[in-house]
Amino acid sequence: MYWKHRNAKKPSPFTEVKLGVWRILIAQEPGLALPGLNWNILPVNASVLRRAFSDVYAISAPLFCCLVLINVWMAIETPLSLYFSSQLLFYIEHRIADGTASSSHTTGLYWATAARIACSILTGLARWIDQRLTIIYEARVKYHFQERLLEANLKRDLPTSQEAKAISSPNPSAVFDCVQHAFELAKSSLSFGLQLKLIHQVLSSGVKNAGPVFVALCLVPLLVPKMLQSRLWSKSYIIQAINPHYVRKTALNKLADDDYKQEVMGGDLSEYIVKEYRDARNSLGNTPDTSPHQLYGLSKTALPAMGLSVCTDLPLIYFAGLAIIRPAQLSLMHIAVLEQTSVMLRHTFSTIVWMSEFLPRQVAPVEALYRILAIENQVKDGETPYPAEDTPSEAGMSIDVRNLSFTYPGSKSTRDALTDISFSIKSGQLVVIVGANGSGKSTVIKLLNRTYDPTSGDIIVDKHPISSYRIADLRRATANLAQDHHLFPVSIAENIGLGHPAMVGDSERVVECAKLAGAHGFVEKFEEGYKTVLEPDSDTHLSFGGEDNEDLKKELKKIERKIDVSGGERQRLVASRTFMRLISKDIKFVTVDEPSSALDPQGEYDLFERLRQARQGRTMIFVTHRFGHLTKYADLIICMKDGTVVETGTHSDLIGRNGEYAHLYNVQAKAFAAESIVN
Ligand SMILES: Nc1ncnc2c1ncn2[C@@H]1O[C@H](COP(=O)(O)OP(=O)(O)OP(=O)(O)O)[C@@H](O)[C@H]1O
């Protein structure tokens, strides 16, 4: 059941372990591996830790100083309390021995009692402050990094964003967690040192040279299991279920899920599934599927467990020995204090070990966060403002595309998305791009909007390469209505108004734009009208225990109830935002990429008509599959096929040429003709 296997031929970066139904691949991490022992101390990236500290300090120096003071107090508090306890016990013991009320030890007893109580009061106060301060400070640091991440994410272009997402998902709480963890480690280490000093002091007042032996005996039960026992959680690993019977059993079990209900019930598969499940279970026999963490720590014999139990008693056994050999040097005070100290010492030491093992893992997400914040955009910004000094004063952009080729980053396709395409669009032209699915229409729009940079070739906008302009200026001069439309989790009014952020609060304009896109009718019917939030970002949770409470469940449903709209209505709302954007006089270029797939024919006709009318001299490109009135109005039709431009011209030119465009047009015309015959 348990065996380890190392690849002898080629050094592998993993150690493979097979346990029960599992295969575990454990990464061999850098760090100080103590030979023959299971204690691998990972290195900490000190520069990241330093940066985290300096960022947390910069967010609030007073809170940082308070945190330092509290931690210093917490570190001193344990040994100090133990010290006052020892004093208290010392005076109690002597008063009992004196047996009179007027003992000379009375004053000392009062002082020691007062000091012990003061210590406890201060500790309670420090804990109370610490809890409140941590909540406030933690939130401030988290909000700071959330904001930096938001800014960085918003500025990031699409290809960089996709790549960043693949690297890791940054945790804005990581920085504070890491700093707090480092504080804990420093606090425990200081406390540990002071406790050792106390033990030395207490013991040297009684048994000579007993201090180091006693400390060693306290630490043995902590160090031995640490070094001998195998623990999986402290390692980096992959766990994979490899037992075929277990894998089949799990798959068959899943077939009871709602997702498969229709097929399972429709196909009368229940009996077959239960029989197969039983077979898989029988074949599995006694092979355990217990947590691999549990299996990994299992020892083959009972000896280590028995030895460890005895180790825990070592300090007590040592006292028994001392009591036999040097009974005169020991007092009850010594025994009581050392018993208490040994418990605290063990606790502090195990905290140090745990914290130092875990610190590198706390620093790693901080490193990832800083890396994500520092990622530079792949689409490089230009320096020329747009419009430039020599940009013509016309209302529309002129665009020249020369020998453009493009492959999507990471694409596995053997064909380029675009291959050597060229065309020219004059200022103010209405252009329609047509072509079959996957012919590259949307890709052209993405390159003209600088969502991506071409692999080769040039795009010239108003006499200059598109890459030479400032991206923010180009975006300000462009309006896009895309096919993969999204509504924001804010009110409908804001959703529309954000087309032109400077006028987001102008409700008259918002309603006007909603009317233009045909959205006003259904928005009016909502209880809250334009204030309705369609996709609220609700952070509501039901507790584990609440799962059984019907009232809570009903309330949750009420809270989470969403107002939804149809696909077509959604498209109308997004189109309203574009109309709002068209109000801006800065807009010189409009792209409309199939925004009407869910619209009814009348809705589509109206949308295209109104967009055309809102053009007012701007250059406008439509991507569409529908060969309606739009292509007839077009100044230029670009017909694409398999990533190339096969034809360009006006509707009558292209029909006359009887090529790809005429073919696509006739297919649609025939379908409509057939439909009307059937009808
Ligand atoms: N993000 C992407 N990553 C990799 N390949 C992509 C990506 N987006 C599109 N492609 C590929 O690029 C080619 C052109 O796609 P594009 O979306 O431009 O076609 P289209 O003409 O707009 O198609 P449709 O009419 O279906 O919208 C296709 O082969 C497509 O599979």
Side-chain angles (χ1 to χ4, degrees):
M1 184 184 94
Y2 177 97
W3 70 96
K4 291 190 182 186
H5 160 74
R6 278 174 202 269
N7 189 338
K9 284 177 204 155
K10 199 169 127 204
S12 159
F14 310 116
T15 302
E16 186 182 282
V17 183
K18 288 176 181 166
L19 294 169
V21 299
W22 314 106
R23 168 181 177 248
I24 311 171
L25 281 182
I26 304 169
Q28 283 162 21
E29 293 179 295
L32 177 63
L34 302 179
L37 303 173
N38 284 302
W39 200 0
N40 188 15
I41 301 163
L42 293 176
V44 173
N45 190 332
S47 66
V48 172
L49 195 58
R50 237 188 342 261
R51 191 169 163 197
F53 265 89
S54 88
D55 277 347
V56 171
Y57 176 79
I59 289 166
S60 172
L63 286 178
F64 187 88
C65 294
C66 284
L67 207 62
V68 172
L69 285 178
I70 287 172
N71 274 289
V72 169
W73 169 254
M74 297 288 211
I76 299 172
E77 179 264 328
T78 308
L80 203 62
S81 297
L82 287 170
Y83 172 74
F84 289 133
S85 298
S86 76
Q87 291 295 300
L88 205 60
L89 289 170
F90 172 83
Y91 289 119
I92 292 171
E93 196 178 1
H94 280 81
R95 260 192 70 89
I96 294 170
D98 293 349
T100 58
S102 59
S103 164
S104 58
H105 293 108
T106 309
T107 322
L109 185 59
Y110 284 143
W111 274 113
T113 311
R116 182 74 180 80
I117 292 171
C119 206
S120 300
I121 291 174
L122 267 177
T123 303
L125 182 68
R127 287 216 176 105
W128 182 83
I129 296 173
D130 184 41
Q131 280 170 358
R132 267 141 196 84
L133 186 137
T134 304
I135 289 173
I136 296 166
Y137 204 4
E138 192 176 21
R140 279 181 70 172
V141 176
K142 188 169 89 180
Y143 295 161
H144 168 88
F145 281 98
Q146 268 174 345
E147 192 178 316
R148 282 178 62 181
L149 275 169
L150 175 71
E151 258 178 275
N153 288 341
L154 289 173
K155 278 189 190 147
R156 201 167 292 137
D157 61 49
L158 191 67
T160 320
S161 178
Q162 282 165 347
E163 210 163 276
K165 253 185 220 141
I167 304 172
S168 73
S169 48
N171 173 11
S173 303
V175 178
F176 190 80
D177 290 350
C178 174
V179 166
Q180 212 187 16
H181 194 96
F183 267 132
E184 283 283 325
L185 180 57
K187 179 184 86 181
S188 302
S189 306
L190 177 61
S191 180
F192 186 72
L194 293 171
Q195 285 172 44
L196 287 185
K197 193 161 174 7
L198 179 74
I199 289 178
H200 183 258
Q201 199 176 327
V202 171
L203 273 176
S204 29
S205 69
V207 191
K208 261 194 173 174
N209 301 327
V213 181
F214 178 76
V215 170
L217 292 178
C218 287
L219 299 186
V220 164
L222 291 168
L223 284 170
V224 171
K226 181 88 213 80
M227 294 181 169
L228 298 180
Q229 269 179 355
S230 305
R231 285 172 313 151
L232 195 54
W233 66 264
S234 60
K235 302 177 189 300
S236 302
Y237 51 85
I238 294 174
I239 294 174
Q240 181 195 11
I242 52 163
N243 185 302
H245 308 300
Y246 174 80
V247 174
R248 181 154 175 82
K249 187 172 81 82
T250 315
L252 290 165
N253 202 32
K254 259 189 127 181
L255 293 181
D257 288 359
D258 287 350
D259 291 351
Y260 306 102
K261 262 275 160 304
Q262 219 168 335
E263 280 83 356
V264 170
M265 289 183 77
D268 191 21
L269 303 179
S270 309
E271 216 171 291
Y272 171 81
I273 293 168
V274 172
K275 184 194 154 293
E276 287 297 304
Y277 184 90
R278 210 168 283 142
D279 286 353
R281 198 198 63 199
N282 289 338
S283 310
L284 201 53
N286 287 329
T287 314
D289 63 354
T290 321
S291 148
H293 300 87
Q294 211 176 329
L295 293 174
Y296 192 83
L298 278 186
S299 159
K300 283 179 202 157
T301 69
L303 276 179
M306 284 153 62
L308 286 175
S309 286
V310 174
C311 278
T312 320
D313 292 332
L314 284 178
L316 207 61
I317 297 170
Y318 180 61
F319 278 132
L322 282 180
I324 295 168
I325 303 163
R326 301 186 220 164
Q329 292 169 347
L330 273 183
S331 73
L332 278 178
M333 181 274 282
H334 284 124
I335 295 173
V337 170
L338 292 175
E339 183 61 26
Q340 273 185 37
T341 319
S342 71
V343 173
M344 280 319 295
L345 199 68
R346 277 184 217 168
H347 174 73
T348 314
F349 184 72
S350 54
T351 310
I352 293 174
V353 170
W354 187 81
M355 291 273 167
S356 48
E357 265 183 351
F358 209 58
L359 187 61
R361 302 203 188 277
Q362 292 273 52
V363 175
V366 178
E367 202 176 345
L369 176 85
Y370 284 135
R371 211 174 329 124
I372 295 259
L373 286 175
I375 289 179
E376 285 193 12
N377 272 339
Q378 290 175 23
V379 179
K380 296 283 171 238
D381 207 358
E383 287 174 359
T384 313
Y386 185 84
E389 277 173 13
D390 58 351
T391 302
S393 57
E394 284 127 342
M397 210 181 250
S398 72
I399 299 164
D400 232 334
V401 170
R402 298 178 190 160
N403 308 106
L404 199 69
S405 294
F406 179 68
T407 309
Y408 279 95
S411 165
K412 294 201 170 64
S413 170
T414 49
R415 179 173 74 75
D416 287 348
L418 295 177
T419 313
D420 196 20
I421 65 165
S422 301
F423 57 81
S424 281
I425 300 173
K426 293 195 189 81
S427 162
Q429 277 193 324
L430 174 71
V431 181
V432 177
I433 307 183
V434 295
N437 287 130
S439 56
K441 304 180 294 295
S442 301
T443 308
V444 170
I445 301 289
K446 284 176 192 161
L447 294 182
L448 296 182
N449 288 330
R450 280 212 83 192
T451 306
Y452 293 96
D453 271 340
T455 317
S456 64
D458 297 302
I459 300 171
I460 308 295
V461 168
D462 287 330
K463 299 189 215 164
H464 296 282
I466 196 169
S467 55
S468 67
Y469 291 116
R470 289 186 201 147
I471 292 178
D473 289 356
L474 280 177
R475 302 247 191 276
R476 212 169 299 124
T478 312
N480 309 306
L481 181 52
Q483 53 179 307
D484 39 3
H485 47 269
H486 289 286
L487 289 175
F488 304 136
V490 292
S491 70
I492 289 181
E494 207 175 345
N495 256 293
I496 298 172
L498 278 172
H500 190 23
M503 296 179 79
V504 69
D506 188 335
S507 42
E508 263 177 47
R509 283 300 183 106
V510 166
V511 173
E512 198 183 301
C513 293
K515 281 181 181 163
L516 281 173
H520 182 66
F522 70 88
V523 174
E524 256 190 334
K525 288 187 189 131
F526 291 133
E527 238 171 67
E528 292 185 89
Y530 282 85
K531 286 191 188 142
T532 311
V533 179
L534 289 178
E535 292 175 4
D537 197 13
S538 115
D539 200 354
T540 321
H541 310 279
L542 182 65
S543 73
F544 180 65
E547 298 283 347
D548 301 327
N549 187 312
E550 289 308 317
D551 293 334
L552 276 180
K553 274 162 65 179
K554 260 189 223 155
E555 191 59 30
L556 183 75
K557 260 193 195 152
K558 236 193 271 172
I559 296 171
E560 287 190 328
R561 198 170 53 206
K562 283 187 184 159
I563 302 168
D564 214 353
V565 287
S566 73
E569 288 170 338
R570 199 170 284 262
Q571 286 187 340
R572 285 168 195 258
L573 286 174
V574 180
S576 313
R577 195 190 294 154
T578 304
F579 281 110
M580 192 77 190
R581 188 151 184 79
L582 290 174
I583 292 172
S584 166
K585 294 280 170 267
D586 292 338
I587 304 289
K588 285 164 80 72
F589 179 41
V590 185
T591 62
V592 183
D593 185 356
E594 272 184 287
S596 56
S597 52
L599 293 187
D600 52 59
Q602 184 64 45
E604 183 181 61
Y605 177 85
D606 291 345
L607 175 66
F608 284 173
E609 260 318 283
R610 284 171 190 159
L611 280 170
R612 222 167 49 75
Q613 283 158 15
R615 198 154 59 99
Q616 295 169 348
R618 289 133 159 173
T619 306
M620 191 175 259
I621 299 186
F622 279 92
V623 169
T624 184
H625 283 290
R626 319 251 176 120
F627 293 73
H629 60 289
L630 204 53
T631 46
K632 288 180 188 158
Y633 281 114
D635 300 307
L636 176 70
I637 296 168
I638 300 172
C639 182
M640 300 193 63
K641 189 178 179 184
D642 297 338
T644 59
V645 171
V646 284
E647 287 166 354
T648 56
T650 60
H651 175 72
S652 49
D653 288 346
L654 297 183
I655 289 291
R657 217 177 286 173
N658 206 16
E660 178 69 13
Y661 176 80
H663 166 70
L664 293 172
Y665 182 84
N666 287 330
V667 168
Q668 242 178 57
K670 255 191 226 161
F672 279 121
E675 254 176 45
S676 34
I677 290 164
V678 171
N679 290 339

